[in-house]
Amino acid sequence: KQITAIFQPHMVANVERALHQLPHFPGFTLQRAKGRGRSRAAGLAYRATEWDLDEHDKVVLLVLCSDQIAPEIVETIRRSPHTGLPGDGLIALSDVAQVLRIGTSEHGEEAV
């Protein structure tokens, strides 16, 4: 599986700490990003004609893992950056057709 999570940068330490506590955590990749969620700031009206450059810093976390541990990783990520406020982020879970570890030529489940 591929798990992609997008959340606020100040939550990286919480997420990383929680993931490292998992017994079979395979590792992750972090990318800095800018983006805009679907919510609007209070009191602001959206006009389709305006050019909105109000992007916010985000972090994109990418995890490749076996099908068996994916639900536990998703739940760990879901809990870690949660504040209950708009902008907490989102998580996507996808199937991966093939994984190949460059250094060892392992593929499939053995590669993750």
Side-chain angles (χ1 to χ4, degrees):
K1 298 285 186 189
Q2 176 177 309
I3 302 167
T4 305
I6 303 169
F7 52 90
Q8 297 183 27
H10 68 275
M11 292 296 192
V12 169
N14 292 353
V15 174
E16 188 172 350
R17 192 177 311 111
L19 289 173
H20 281 297
Q21 291 177 1
L22 296 175
H24 301 292
F25 182 65
F28 58 85
T29 299
L30 280 175
Q31 297 174 312
R32 299 207 182 279
K34 288 200 172 279
R36 171 116 192 149
R38 62 181 177 181
S39 64
R40 300 273 178 224
L44 295 180
Y46 176 73
R47 292 177 294 175
T49 59
E50 71 184 36
W51 183 259
D52 189 359
L53 294 176
D54 191 20
E55 297 169 341
H56 305 282
D57 290 333
K58 296 291 181 180
V59 172
V60 178
L61 177 115
L62 175 66
V63 177
L64 296 173
C65 64
S66 68
D67 292 353
Q68 293 78 21
I69 64 173
E72 183 178 15
I73 293 172
V74 167
E75 179 58 21
T76 299
I77 295 170
R78 187 197 65 77
R79 283 191 324 263
S80 301
H82 181 263
T83 66
L85 300 172
D88 273 351
L90 60 89
I91 302 169
L93 181 64
S94 307
D95 288 324
V96 175
Q98 185 62 267
V99 176
L100 175 66
R101 184 171 295 278
I102 295 170
T104 62
S105 296
E106 294 170 299
H107 57 88
E109 295 273 333
E110 295 81 30
V112 295

